Amino acid sequence: QAKGAGRNTARFFNPNMQKTIESRMALETALRQALFKGELQLFYQPQIDQNGRCFGAEALLRWRRPGHGLVAPLEFIPLAEETGLILPIGQWVMDTACAQIKAWEASERTRFLRMAVNVSARQFHQPDFVAQVQASLERYGANPHRLKLELTESVVLENAEQVVSRMNQLRALGVSFSMDDFGTGYSSLSYLKRLPLDQLKIDKSFIRDIATDPNDAAIVRAILAMSQSLGLEVVAEGIENEAQRRFLCENGCHRFQGYLLGKPKPIEEWETRPDLGADVDRTT
Ligand code: C2E
Ligand code: MG
Ligand code: MG
Ligand code: MG
């Protein structure tokens, strides 16, 4: 044991290790300040139906870190989750998304758009998560039917009963739920029948080679068939070319998100999309 501890101590003083720790601490300090310095921004990626019309957007977080340019979420969200910073950050995301839902309501072209917001496990498991979402909606007067929360498997791994009850409380308000990155987890199938979901998002790792790899094609066909019999809407993510889109169309998937249809963009660049607001679901 002493020997092991000695080795760890030695490793601690390894200059590379020291560097890693320092840059991690710098990242944490900078991230802590990013929020009140106004360095966080939401980008919005369009979601498109089979007629090429935009029916919604996914809000994707970006950090304009001085001296580092635009930082992608995978570079800071894991740290934000570890440190708990994801809680104030997630709250800011929810507020900003709700304000945008309300802003969309003002125009005939955008008032029926749905907003998808990613929620991390740590956020969802806060005791007052439901109240927080409700407060955000009310603060901005946003229509709950326009808000969709994207959960990943990490959210539903623990305490399934509580997850279901929270989802039902939010659904009672009109909020809907999507299972993100579907197919990449360990128990994807088992939670499908337990959770009150509205939508699945097929992970982009299955979409990438869909037009050339028979295994990926078979998996996606199976997911589509299953979703249909469970009455779940499906969105395919990570569509980068026409062959992928065509395969999906031919196999009954009618909702798409990916660089082919539009990259995530700041809202100013977004509202001029020509395909906004046409022929979308206007029932709620
Ligand atoms: P996600 O929710 O699965 O989001 C989809 C990711 O795929 C986004 O990456 C998007 O930019 C990227 N993407 C979209 N179309 C394509 C495509 O055609 N090809 C490829 N290669 N990628 C595409 P992004 O924005 O870097 O976000 C990464 C992840 O970070 C998200 O994955 C989500 O899990 C997390 N995230 C983003 N924003 C938030 C947030 O506000 N809160 C939380 N908790 N997590 C967030
Ligand atoms: Mg997502
Ligand atoms: Mg995803
Ligand atoms: Mg993903």
Side-chain angles (χ1 to χ4, degrees), residues 7 15 36 47-48 60 69 79 85 99 101 106 112 116 134 154 191 198-199 208 215 225 234:
R7 221 181 287 132
F36 63 79
Q47 300 182 317
I48 306 288
L60 293 161
L79 181 71
L85 283 170
I101 291 173
F112 299 99
Q134 185 165 18
S154 63
Y191 58 62
D198 306 277
Q199 183 188 77
R208 198 182 52 224
N215 291 327
V234 183

Side-chain angles (χ1 to χ4, degrees), residues 149-209:
L149 301 184
E150 294 195 0
L151 310 180
T152 54
E153 190 179 4
S154 63
V155 173
V156 303
L157 274 180
E158 47 180 298
N159 212 342
E161 217 166 289
Q162 192 189 67
V163 170
V164 170
S165 113
R166 261 185 210 174
M167 287 173 76
N168 282 329
Q169 288 173 56
L170 284 162
R171 284 168 65 95
L173 302 175
V175 175
S176 60
F177 285 92
S178 180
M179 183 52 65
D180 205 351
D181 303 338
F182 184 76
T184 58
Y186 294 103
S187 56
S188 309
L189 293 179
S190 74
Y191 58 62
L192 270 195
K193 64 170 185 184
R194 270 190 284 150
L195 300 179
L197 290 164
D198 306 277
Q199 183 188 77
L200 294 186
K201 292 184 84 172
I202 306 179
D203 191 67
K204 53 181 175 293
S205 60
F206 298 109
I207 303 299
R208 198 182 52 224
D209 300 322

Side-chain angles (χ1 to χ4, degrees), residues 135-148:
S136 284
L137 286 162
E138 284 171 1
R139 194 171 299 130
Y140 296 95
N143 181 350
H145 291 99
R146 305 266 78 94
L147 178 65
K148 186 177 297 295

Side-chain angles (χ1 to χ4, degrees), residues 102-146:
K102 183 62 183 175
W104 276 340
E105 211 179 282
S107 152
E108 206 45 53
R109 293 176 70 237
T110 53
R111 62 179 308 156
F112 299 99
L113 292 172
R114 300 189 288 180
M115 177 75 80
V117 174
N118 293 285
V119 175
S120 77
R122 189 143 176 190
Q123 252 180 295
F124 190 90
H125 288 289
Q126 296 171 91
D128 62 342
F129 180 70
V130 173
Q132 281 184 29
V133 174
Q134 185 165 18
S136 284
L137 286 162
E138 284 171 1
R139 194 171 299 130
Y140 296 95
N143 181 350
H145 291 99
R146 305 266 78 94

